[in-house]
Amino acid sequence: MISLQHFLFIAAVLFCLGIYAVITRKNAIQVLIGIELMINASILNLVAFAKYDVINNNGQLFALFVIVLAAASVAVGLVIILNFFKRVKTIDPNKANSLRG
Amino acid sequence: MGLLSILIFVPLLFALMILLLPKKYSQSYKYFTVAVAVIQLAITAYLYYQFKTGTAFTGVNQLDSYQFKEYLPWIRLDVGKFGALQIDYLLGVDGFSIPLLFLSALVMLIAALSSWEIKENHKGYFSLMMLLNTAIMGVFCALDIFLFYVFYELMLLPLYFLIGIWGGVRREYAAIKFFLYTLLGSVFMLLVIAGLYFSVIDPVTGNHTFDMVHMMNPQNYVPDGIFSFLAHQDILGIPARLLGFIVVFIAFAIKVPIVPFHTWLPDAHVEAPTPISIILAGILLKVGGYGIIRIAYSIFPDVALNLSFYIGLLGVVSILYGAMVALAQTDLKRLIAYSSVSHMGFVLLGLASLTSEGISGAMMQMISHGFLSVMLFFIVGVIYNRVHDRYIYNFRGLATHMPIYTGFVMVAFFASLGLPGFSAFIAEAFSLIGAFNSESINGLIPRWMAILGSFGILLGAAYLLWTLQRMFFGQLRVKEESWLIKLKDLNAREILTLVPLAFFAILLGVMPSLVFNIINSSVNQFILLFT
Amino acid sequence: MDSIINISNQMVLILAFLLICAPLISFFFSLIFKRFASLIAITAISISFIAAIILFIKVWFSKTLHFSIPWIAFNNFDIRLGFLFNDLTVLMLLLITLIALLVHIYSVEYIRKDKLKPRYFAYLSLFCFSMLSLVLADNLFLIYIFWELVGFSSYLLIGFWFTKEKAVSANKKAFIMNRLGDLGFLAGIMIMLSHFHTLDIDALFGSGNLIASSFTSNGMWVSPFNMMPDYWLTIAGLCFFAGAAAKSAQFPLHTWLPDAMEGPTAVSSLIHAATMVAAGVFLLVRIAPLFNESVLIIIASIGVFTAFMAATIALTQNDIKRVLAFSTISQLGFMMLAIGVGDEASAIFHLVTHAFFKCLLFLGAGIIIHELHHLKEKHQLQFDEQDMTFMGGLFKSMPITAIVFIIAAMALSGLPFTSGYLSKDAILISVFEWADVKGGVFWIFPIIVSLTSWLTTFYIFRVVFKVFFGDFRLPQLLEADHHQFKIHEANVWLKYPVMVLAVFCVTFVFSFQPFSLEASWLFNELAPQQHVGGIYHILVPIYINILSLGLLLITYLAYARNKFSFGLEQTWIFKFSYKQWYFNEIYDAAIVKPTLLKAKAYYWFDKNVIDGLVNSSATAIIHISSLANWFDVYIIDGLVNGVASVVERLNIWFRNVQNGKVQHYIVWMLLIMITFFIYLMIF
């Protein structure tokens, strides 16, 4: 029997992997992927907890919203990355320091 | 403005003149110095001649019977419940100070005459020397203890620079040692002076006073004063008067110097230029002896009486120890410096006996040592100026090469080893006689001290004759051949300097009453303090 | 008996002034007018001599005269300058001036070639001044003053040839040894002054005066002024004796006198034989009433021991002056012995006669040395002109010198018809009588003294025969031609003084009856009551002189004829005597070296301990202040700096947070959130 804990554990692992990718990767695409991983981890949590709201299915509903938003943000993010690459010829986020004081 | 003030401030005036004169006249400064010294010598000779003796002119603790007195209120500060601060410009001389004044003037003249050797920075040198002169004269004249202290400390400053700038190889070391050592003694004395001030009142005005003469009188002490005769106050569990005496005594013992406070002396003497050695030996050491008589003994007679044994013992130790160490010296100047320690021991021994012959002997010893040590240091200076060496083993048989010089050396050496006919003999003999008589008269110091002290005379003969034999007799031989040309016999100026010293040493040896008569009534009055 | 010529007391005073001032003035004038030094000195001493004669006639046989003027005054005593005339004074004055005059004349030739001649005469005058003043002085303090001054002039004269190494160490030794005795003298003066409040000899020792009125009882010594434990009486006596012993070269302070022979011979004869060394005897006679029984016995013992010791040493010495020096020591021992046995008159009598014959012996030796020195200079030789092994057979070439020398030698041995016969036998008789009274162990004294007397004969005739008889050994020893070395008789300057002195070695000057001591005018005046016959007066001279004559014969055979020799040269006894009983070595090892070592040790102590204490306290203060400095820099200032540096650290740290790196920000966010969560979980 697959219990809630299993979902939560998987989600946590996904989240951690995502955060690891965000912190360590030198590639903005990979950072974006990490973000996706984290978003998906949260989606998984939403879906898993939706089990306790069988009447309104708010969890499922939220999950859908998040998927849509995530897709949108990835699009925006990719565009930013593209422009960034165009400007400084790199996609390392640490090099994006032109705003640094 | 009395004669004493003139005596004190003439050199200061000339010091200012020297400072104001342009540098191109620097060769004339030494003549100024000589002129000042001659003026002072004339004044002191006049004072000595005019000095009256007798029971009406005893001095010591009788303010009225001091002579050539000058009085000016100096500092009057109202300090509330303590009354008014009373510091006076009070000068005067008695039998103890007048011979020393004359001696100082003479020694200053000799020092001025031997300053021809100074080659650099005349302006600084001669003005400092004039300042020193002022301070010295002031010390011997001051009757207000505050004034005394001012002059006393004022002596240190010029001496520090005179040794430290114009001195020998280790001059900085010697100057600092001398300065700190003396200062150490006198700083604590300042505390005692403050204590005395709060214990003594002027019987006329009712104020606290710094007048030393009032301090010698037990009636002038306030009953609960820290140094009161009657109150028996303690400081740190030691009777206050005892502590006060010891502090003051040590301050002056350093100056005298008395073993074991003597080690500044060889260094300072050796490093100082000749005129300063002369002043140190001729006058500075006497300031110590004078201070012991005038302040330590006169203000604390009760304690001095109790400590006589130990003071006599210190005297004997100084005599023998100084002589023994002198016997081991190879540097002529250092030998003479240690012989000073030995000779000044007689002063202490004679003083500790508290007999009239002992104290007269001690005074005589101070004066005689003044002449003789000056002569000895001048003699060392003669050789040192010529070849810049004083090591005894480097010279031999100088008698054939410098006969006049050797003649004076023999006079000086035999005078200092106490040959009759010279003042040192009279002085040492009466110091010892006084010390010996003490047991019969007042029982203060035992007879063996006098007998032991007389061995100092024997040792004195040993080291001086050894030097004479080693340096002046035998076949002529010096370290370097070139010295023979440099070692010229005395010139006229040097002879002129040595002759008066030898003359006075002989004069006082033949007619000691010239001094004894002058100091006699003061000595008797002084002894009355202890009964 | 009244004085023969009548002069007033004031005249006496003037004469006395003249007597002492003439040499003093001569001292200065000789140094100033160098060309006339000898003339000035001789004139001065002649004036003194004439004054002494007049004074002698005035005072001898009459009462004591005393003049004084105030000098130094203190509360309880005063010291005056004054003259004291009594028999002793005028006798000594006459003796000193006469001998000094002769020696001055003798010196003119003796010192003629020396370029320091003026200085020589100046020193000689200084000595005469001091010695005459010493004799005239009326109190102990003045005596002490001139006592030291004669020591000083002796110092100058011993070291007259100051380029000679031996001379200058000899004069140092003489002065320091005399100083040692003088300390005793000074201590004695202190005791007398403390006890009697005066130093006036007349007041102290005159008949019925202070010494007489003091007494000892219950272990205390009581004077009209004072009381002291009675051992101070003995100490006082011994102190004065110490002074006298040093000046008169008595054991244990005798070793300076033989060394003093480094001075010119004329000086040795005047100062170290006739006058100055006798000052000790003179002093003891002046203060004789002071001595108590134990002091007298000590004086006698030291006297007899010194006499014997010096005589044994004189037996073996080869230096002619050294023999005479030890002979002087020995004879002074006789005088001390006489004082010790309470016979001051004999002591003074012997002093007078001894002065003449010993002076003559020295001057005679001086002539020989002088002539040999000439020979040495003339022929450029290398030998010691004082060594008797180079002499011999000189009688032929200098008969007058030889004759006067032999007369003096006879006087020294105390043979009949000489002055020594009277004075020496006077002492011997006194010693015998004294021992007779004391009895027992005190018989040692006459035995030793007789022995010494014979030794005296032996050693002096050894000199006589070695020098004047036999063959002249110098040519043999130098392997030179005999005729090359001609020794001449002395010239007039040297000859006449010794001839005058020789006259004074004969009995008839002192007594018209050659075998009767009591008939001597001099002795009679000094001691009218003593020696009134007795068995010893007959026996002692006979037995002493017969043996002496026997010894004379033996020495003649041994040294003049070389019939036999004693063959003792290799034995320890000979060496012991030759090395002067090893006193110099013992003193050097026991006193001089330890004192110098001690002086070095004291200096080390001074430099390292006392001065070290001063310097180390200075160093300690420097260390303390550098400690304070460290505390100031690192603790107090460090606190202030520390706050600043902490803020600065924080600043750097916080600045690093905002480095513009997105991922860092994320890490920070994460960390803060985790911290926040942990915080929530715990609390």
Side-chain angles (χ1 to χ4, degrees):
Chain A
M1 170 83 199
I2 300 167
S3 71
L4 182 65
Q5 277 85 359
H6 292 95
F7 287 104
L8 291 181
F9 180 74
I10 296 291
V13 168
L14 272 176
F15 189 86
C16 286
L17 287 170
I19 212 162
Y20 179 73
V22 167
I23 291 168
T24 58
R25 292 300 96 180
K26 299 257 191 247
N27 190 327
I29 308 289
Q30 286 171 328
V31 171
L32 212 56
I33 292 168
I35 291 169
E36 281 306 307
L37 276 175
M38 279 158 35
I39 289 172
N40 283 321
S42 57
I43 291 170
L44 192 59
N45 272 12
L46 284 170
V47 173
F49 282 110
K51 173 184 159 189
Y52 299 105
D53 185 20
V54 287
I55 299 146
N56 290 329
N57 277 329
N58 278 345
Q60 315 263 2
L61 206 63
F62 260 111
L64 281 174
F65 263 116
V66 170
I67 289 163
V68 171
L69 278 172
S73 71
V74 165
V76 171
L78 279 172
V79 170
I80 290 169
I81 290 165
L82 275 175
N83 276 324
F84 179 66
F85 182 75
K86 250 195 233 167
R87 198 182 270 272
V88 293
K89 303 293 176 215
T90 179
I91 50 170
D92 185 344
N94 285 338
K95 298 277 165 58
N97 56 3
S98 57
L99 281 179
R100 188 166 172 244
Chain B
M1 193 81 171
L3 276 176
L4 292 182
S5 293
I6 296 174
L7 190 64
I8 294 170
F9 292 111
V10 158
L12 205 59
L13 200 71
F14 274 79
L16 284 177
M17 270 177 64
I18 287 174
L19 286 176
L20 292 176
L21 271 179
K23 249 218 172 83
K24 65 176 174 180
Y25 297 113
S26 70
Q27 284 309 313
S28 63
Y29 296 156
K30 55 192 175 202
Y31 297 107
F32 279 114
T33 324
V34 172
V36 170
V38 169
I39 293 170
Q40 283 181 312
L41 193 63
I43 294 175
T44 48
Y46 175 75
L47 291 178
Y48 200 90
Y49 180 68
Q50 289 288 313
F51 190 82
K52 293 188 261 313
T53 55
T55 45
F57 303 100
T58 55
V60 188
N61 63 347
Q62 308 288 322
L63 189 55
D64 299 330
S65 61
Y66 275 90
Q67 298 179 48
F68 312 112
K69 243 184 348 208
E70 287 175 41
Y71 173 77
L72 266 179
W74 182 20
I75 301 175
R76 285 286 185 281
L77 201 62
D78 200 351
V79 282
K81 78 178 169 63
F82 292 119
L85 187 65
Q86 181 181 340
I87 299 174
D88 297 324
Y89 178 75
L90 181 59
L91 304 177
V93 288
D94 68 354
F96 286 114
S97 38
I98 188 80
L100 292 172
L101 267 184
F102 180 76
L103 172 73
S104 305
L106 185 73
V107 172
M108 287 313 294
L109 178 62
I110 305 299
L113 282 171
S114 58
S115 294
W116 260 244
E117 66 165 82
I118 300 297
K119 297 282 185 285
E120 67 231 357
N121 199 351
H122 285 88
K123 184 170 262 189
Y125 177 83
F126 286 104
S127 50
L128 281 171
M129 203 159 129
M130 293 285 95
L131 185 63
L132 179 63
N133 194 338
T134 295
I136 287 166
M137 294 297 166
V139 161
F140 288 128
C141 294
L143 289 182
D144 187 284
I145 202 164
F146 192 85
L147 190 65
F148 176 89
Y149 191 79
V150 168
F151 283 125
Y152 185 76
E153 293 296 299
L154 192 60
M155 288 191 309
L156 288 187
L157 171 95
L159 273 175
Y160 173 75
F161 289 111
L162 287 169
I163 298 174
I165 297 176
W166 289 271
V169 184
R170 293 168 73 222
R171 53 178 178 265
E172 279 95 355
Y173 170 76
I176 289 179
K177 191 172 179 180
F178 162 73
F179 189 82
L180 288 182
Y181 216 138
T182 323
L183 198 66
L184 182 79
S186 52
V187 159
F188 289 106
M189 186 169 76
L190 190 60
L191 292 177
V192 175
I193 289 176
L196 281 168
Y197 170 73
F198 286 115
S199 310
V200 177
I201 49 168
D202 187 338
V204 181
T205 59
N207 291 331
H208 285 296
T209 179
F210 279 106
D211 188 333
M212 337 184 185
V213 184
H214 290 317
M215 290 173 181
M216 296 173 199
N217 200 339
Q219 281 89 47
N220 295 338
Y221 283 78
V222 289
D224 54 348
I226 184 87
F227 288 122
S228 164
F229 280 78
L230 303 169
H232 298 299
Q233 304 263 22
D234 281 2
I235 300 172
L236 306 169
I238 305 165
R241 286 187 68 79
L242 178 67
L243 194 68
F245 175 80
I246 290 174
V247 165
V248 174
F249 181 79
I250 288 179
F252 290 118
I254 290 171
K255 266 262 153 62
V256 170
I258 290 159
V259 174
F261 308 110
H262 65 284
T263 54
W264 65 267
L265 180 115
D267 285 314
H269 271 122
V270 167
E271 297 308 326
T274 307
I276 305 308
S277 293
I278 285 172
I279 295 175
L280 273 176
I283 308 176
L284 262 280
L285 310 191
K286 278 78 213 173
V287 172
Y290 175 75
I292 289 176
I293 292 175
R294 175 69 83 223
I295 296 183
Y297 262 65
S298 294
I299 296 180
F300 301 97
D302 48 336
V303 190
L305 204 62
N306 290 334
L307 294 184
S308 275
F309 178 84
Y310 299 100
I311 293 169
L313 192 66
L314 274 180
V316 172
V317 168
S318 291
I319 294 169
L320 295 180
Y321 184 87
M324 280 303 268
V325 178
L327 201 55
Q329 298 306 315
T330 49
D331 179 333
L332 186 57
K333 208 169 184 184
R334 202 169 260 274
L335 181 138
I336 291 164
Y338 276 108
S339 83
S340 281
V341 175
S342 177
H343 287 141
M344 291 305 281
F346 285 100
V347 174
L348 211 58
L349 184 63
L351 198 56
S353 74
L354 289 178
T355 55
S356 79
E357 56 274 21
I359 294 169
S360 302
M363 277 302 290
M364 190 67 160
Q365 175 74 339
M366 289 213 267
I367 296 155
S368 133
H369 181 258
F371 297 136
L372 296 177
S373 62
V374 165
M375 210 166 161
L376 290 171
F377 278 113
F378 189 86
I379 277 165
V380 182
V382 166
I383 274 216
Y384 187 72
N385 280 342
R386 282 162 172 64
V387 293
H388 294 278
D389 197 295
R390 311 181 287 253
Y391 191 61
I392 292 173
Y393 286 104
N394 286 347
F395 302 92
R396 195 150 186 80
L398 290 181
T400 40
H401 195 64
M402 309 168 78
I404 303 174
Y405 177 65
T406 308
F408 279 105
V409 169
M410 283 187 68
V411 169
F413 276 20
F414 275 96
S416 356
L417 64 79
L419 188 75
F422 292 103
S423 50
F425 162 71
I426 299 285
E428 285 166 13
F430 282 105
S431 302
L432 292 172
I433 286 171
F436 192 87
N437 278 352
S438 169
E439 189 170 327
S440 303
I441 292 174
N442 49 27
L444 287 178
I445 52 176
R447 294 189 181 106
W448 57 260
M449 275 191 188
I451 308 243
L452 217 56
S454 64
F455 276 90
I457 303 181
L458 177 70
L459 289 170
Y463 60 73
L464 288 173
L465 291 187
W466 175 78
T467 312
L468 206 56
Q469 180 203 350
R470 193 68 198 66
M471 280 184 82
F472 296 96
F473 297 147
Q475 294 294 335
L476 179 63
R477 199 186 70 229
V478 288
K479 195 178 159 203
E480 289 164 29
E481 280 298 309
S482 61
W483 285 8
L484 285 178
I485 303 147
K486 289 186 199 156
L487 283 169
K488 289 196 183 66
D489 212 338
L490 298 183
N491 60 28
R493 177 180 59 84
E494 286 160 339
I495 293 175
L496 190 73
T497 316
L498 285 169
V499 162
L501 293 169
F503 170 74
F504 278 109
I506 292 175
L507 183 71
L508 292 186
V510 178
M511 294 202 281
S513 47
L514 285 178
V515 170
F516 284 154
N517 286 349
I518 289 282
I519 63 177
N520 193 27
S521 38
S522 292
V523 168
N524 289 338
Q525 182 70 26
F526 181 72
I527 292 170
L528 286 180
L529 288 173
F530 300 90
T531 47
Chain C
M1 196 169 159
D2 222 19
S3 58
I4 299 162
I5 50 168
N6 213 351
I7 48 172
S8 66
N9 284 352
Q10 201 185 351
M11 196 63 198
V12 170
L13 200 56
I14 291 168
L15 278 174
F17 261 115
L18 203 62
L19 181 77
I20 60 169
C21 287
L24 182 64
I25 293 166
S26 148
F27 166 63
F28 292 111
F29 278 30
S30 302
L31 287 175
I32 298 166
F33 306 107
K34 292 194 165 129
R35 285 176 60 87
F36 306 106
S38 50
L39 184 67
I40 293 169
I42 290 174
T43 316
I45 196 70
S46 310
I47 292 170
S48 296
F49 178 55
I50 293 163
I53 293 174
I54 299 170
L55 285 174
F56 184 81
I57 296 167
K58 163 78 183 166
V59 178
W60 190 258
F61 297 130
S62 77
K63 63 183 193 312
T64 304
L65 288 175
H66 185 192
F67 308 95
S68 67
I69 51 163
W71 188 38
I72 304 173
F74 287 113
N75 287 358
N76 45 13
F77 66 88
D78 65 342
I79 292 173
R80 301 169 73 86
L81 293 173
F83 296 131
L84 177 68
F85 296 97
N86 58 14
D87 290 349
L88 184 56
T89 313
V90 288
L91 180 64
M92 290 293 288
L93 286 181
L94 196 61
L95 173 76
I96 293 161
T97 48
L98 174 58
I99 292 183
L101 177 62
L102 295 174
V103 170
H104 272 75
I105 295 167
Y106 178 92
S107 300
V108 173
E109 170 65 25
Y110 193 79
I111 212 81
R112 190 188 290 279
K113 296 229 173 89
D114 204 302
K115 66 175 188 293
L116 294 174
K117 191 166 86 171
R119 207 185 276 183
Y120 175 84
F121 280 102
Y123 292 168
L124 219 50
S125 297
L126 180 65
F127 168 75
C128 292
F129 160 71
S130 320
M131 190 69 207
L132 293 170
S133 310
L134 167 75
V135 172
L136 275 169
D138 78 326
N139 67 54
L140 290 172
F141 197 75
L142 276 183
I143 291 190
Y144 180 82
I145 287 177
F146 294 111
W147 184 265
E148 286 241 309
L149 281 179
V150 291
F152 173 64
S153 34
S154 140
Y155 171 88
L156 291 175
L157 284 165
I158 296 171
F160 177 68
W161 288 312
F162 57 82
T163 47
K164 251 166 75 182
E165 210 60 63
K166 271 164 93 181
V168 289
S169 65
N171 70 353
K172 181 184 69 176
K173 183 173 174 181
F175 196 86
I176 290 175
M177 267 190 145
N178 272 303
R179 254 295 155 95
L180 192 61
D182 293 352
L183 292 190
F185 194 165
L186 188 62
I189 285 178
M190 295 196 285
I191 296 169
M192 299 310 279
L193 195 56
S194 173
H195 206 55
F196 295 108
H197 293 190
T198 181
L199 290 172
D200 190 283
I201 291 169
D202 202 23
L204 282 170
F205 307 109
S207 56
N209 280 323
L210 285 166
I211 283 285
S213 62
S214 70
F215 55 91
T216 55
S217 73
N218 295 331
M220 296 303 273
W221 181 29
V222 186
S223 81
F225 307 101
N226 203 354
M227 265 168 66
M228 278 190 193
D230 61 356
Y231 53 79
W232 283 102
L233 176 59
T234 312
I235 292 177
L238 288 179
C239 281
F240 283 115
F241 178 59
K247 194 114 293 183
S248 291
Q250 297 296 293
F251 169 82
L253 299 172
H254 64 278
T255 59
W256 67 269
L257 188 61
D259 289 17
M261 294 302 130
E262 293 298 334
T265 310
V267 166
S268 305
S269 79
L270 174 62
I271 299 185
H272 304 118
T275 54
M276 185 189 85
V277 286
V281 178
F282 167 77
L283 175 76
L284 292 190
V285 172
R286 276 252 144 135
I287 63 166
L290 176 71
F291 302 128
N292 62 11
E293 193 59 18
S294 43
V295 176
L296 285 175
I297 289 174
I298 290 171
I299 294 176
S301 318
I302 297 227
V304 76
F305 176 75
T306 311
F308 177 71
M309 174 200 70
T312 58
I313 295 172
L315 289 176
T316 57
Q317 302 300 315
N318 276 331
D319 185 323
I320 185 167
K321 283 183 78 180
R322 224 161 252 266
V323 177
L324 295 179
F326 280 105
S327 154
T328 307
I329 296 175
S330 176
Q331 295 301 307
L332 288 165
F334 272 89
M335 297 176 212
M336 288 291 173
L337 176 63
I339 291 168
V341 300
D343 185 8
E344 290 94 31
S346 300
I348 289 297
F349 191 24
H350 194 54
L351 193 163
V352 173
T353 56
H354 170 257
F356 288 115
F357 62 69
K358 188 52 66 61
C359 184
L360 177 51
L361 284 173
F362 266 106
L363 293 184
I367 293 172
I368 297 162
I369 294 166
H370 192 65
E371 297 302 330
L372 281 177
H373 187 74
H374 270 293
L375 200 68
K376 182 172 153 182
E377 297 227 310
K378 198 171 154 197
H379 296 284
Q380 305 283 326
L381 302 172
Q382 282 299 322
F383 68 96
D384 183 359
E385 62 262 37
Q386 302 189 9
D387 196 332
M388 288 193 291
T389 46
F390 298 115
M391 302 171 188
L394 296 179
F395 194 98
K396 275 163 264 163
S397 46
M398 32 175 61
I400 294 174
T401 312
I403 288 167
V404 294
F405 196 92
I406 291 166
I407 291 173
M410 284 166 72
L412 176 63
S413 341
L415 295 177
F417 302 106
T418 62
S419 58
Y421 172 81
L422 295 177
S423 60
K424 194 183 211 171
D425 287 352
I427 293 175
L428 291 176
I429 292 163
S430 294
V431 176
F432 273 89
E433 283 177 343
W434 179 72
D436 198 24
V437 174
K438 292 256 174 190
V441 74
F442 289 97
W443 276 105
I444 284 182
F445 284 83
I447 292 169
I448 297 179
V449 92
S450 318
L451 206 57
T452 312
S453 184
W454 296 320
L455 289 176
T456 309
T457 311
F458 186 86
Y459 68 67
I460 195 64
F461 278 99
R462 172 173 169 266
V463 173
V464 168
F465 294 132
K466 272 189 118 163
V467 173
F468 293 107
F469 295 88
D471 299 322
F472 190 28
R473 286 182 291 276
L474 182 64
Q476 295 163 22
L477 287 168
L478 295 177
E479 294 171 355
D481 181 18
H482 191 286
H483 302 289
Q484 196 184 343
F485 300 139
K486 273 268 186 252
I487 300 273
H488 305 285
E489 179 60 274
N491 76 359
V492 282
W493 292 97
L494 300 177
K495 206 157 56 182
Y496 287 116
V498 290
M499 285 159 76
V500 173
L501 280 172
V503 172
F504 284 92
C505 294
V506 181
T507 319
F508 301 107
V509 176
F510 298 99
S511 166
F512 292 112
Q513 290 169 290
F515 295 106
S516 168
L517 176 64
E518 290 75 21
S520 159
W521 56 271
L522 203 162
F523 191 76
N524 234 341
E525 170 68 12
L526 289 169
Q529 268 89 50
Q530 282 181 332
H531 294 288
V532 278
I535 182 78
Y536 296 112
H537 285 243
I538 302 157
L539 282 182
V540 170
I542 293 173
Y543 114 100
I544 291 283
N545 281 309
I546 286 176
L547 264 164
S548 287
L549 287 170
L551 276 165
L552 214 160
L553 193 67
I554 293 172
T555 40
Y556 178 71
L557 292 175
Y559 293 108
R561 283 295 163 91
N562 288 321
K563 291 274 182 206
F564 63 94
S565 79
F566 293 98
L568 292 168
E569 276 74 5
Q570 297 309 315
T571 57
W572 67 269
I573 301 177
F574 184 88
K575 278 199 184 122
F576 189 62
S577 156
Y578 187 70
K579 285 278 179 186
Q580 308 169 16
W581 289 34
Y582 295 98
F583 276 116
N584 285 318
E585 287 78 5
I586 292 168
Y587 287 169
D588 200 41
I591 296 167
V592 178
K593 289 230 172 75
T595 309
L596 291 179
L597 266 181
K598 240 182 267 173
K600 290 224 169 65
Y602 274 44
Y603 182 43
W604 180 89
F605 179 81
D606 197 65
K607 209 165 52 177
N608 294 304
V609 180
I610 296 190
D611 204 27
L613 218 62
V614 174
N615 281 339
S616 63
S617 65
T619 333
I621 287 173
I622 289 170
H623 282 307
I624 290 171
S625 62
S626 62
L627 198 72
N629 183 39
W630 180 88
F631 185 81
D632 198 58
V633 170
Y634 292 100
I635 308 292
I636 298 185
D637 205 23
L639 219 60
V640 178
N641 285 341
V643 170
S645 68
V646 165
V647 170
E648 198 185 353
R649 274 283 125 217
L650 281 175
N651 155 37
I652 291 164
W653 201 44
F654 279 120
R655 204 172 59 206
N656 278 344
V657 172
Q658 292 188 328
N659 58 0
K661 291 181 180 161
V662 180
Q663 289 169 330
H664 280 230
Y665 293 172
I666 294 168
V667 173
W668 274 115
M669 268 159 54
L670 206 65
L671 282 174
I672 290 163
M673 274 176 68
I674 290 168
T675 318
F676 180 68
F677 283 130
I678 290 167
Y679 175 79
L680 278 187
M681 272 159 61
I682 294 168
F683 303 103

